[in-house]
Amino acid sequence: MHPGASIGQVYLCCLPVDFRKQIDGLAALVESELELNLFGDALFVFVNRQRSRMKILYWHRNGFCLWQKRLEKARFAWPAPGSGPTVTLTPKELEWLLEGFDLWANYPHKTLKYQSVM
C-alpha cells in the first residue's frame, strides 16, 4: 500500500469478481452490493474465480489506489462462500493472507475462563 496510508479495516469480498473491473467498477460494487463507505481508512480486497489474483482498492487523500498481486503457481486462501458478503480482517491478517497462510484452516487456542485458582 501507499507508505503514508493509514489502514483501519480490511474487508474481503467473499465472492469472486470479474477482474476486467478496474477502479470504477470495483468502487461501484463496494457501494451498491457491499454497502460500505469507500472513503474511509479501509481496504477492499477482491479475488478472481481461480483465486490466483487479488486486487485491493482504497482511498488515499485525493484519489483511489488499486493494487494487484498475481500468484504464479499457488492460490490465495479464501473464506467459504456462505460466510456472508464480506469478512473483516486486521491489517496483520491481510499480511498473513498475502504471504500464503490460510486464516480459516488454523484455529487459535481455546480461551479458558477460571473462577479461582483453588
Side-chain angles (χ1 to χ4, degrees), residues 56-72:
I56 299 176
L57 177 70
Y58 61 100
W59 176 260
H60 182 258
R61 294 186 324 130
N62 58 1
F64 285 105
C65 298
L66 184 62
W67 183 87
Q68 180 173 339
K69 181 171 184 175
R70 180 182 75 192
L71 298 177
E72 296 301 327

Side-chain angles (χ1 to χ4, degrees), residues 4 44 63 69 72 75 77-78 90 92-93 95 108 112:
F44 303 97
K69 181 171 184 175
E72 296 301 327
R75 299 174 82 189
W78 213 251
T90 64
K92 188 65 173 173
E93 289 172 325
E95 184 179 329
L112 301 176

Side-chain angles (χ1 to χ4, degrees), residues 14-15 79-87:
C14 292
L15 296 175
S83 306
T86 61
V87 170

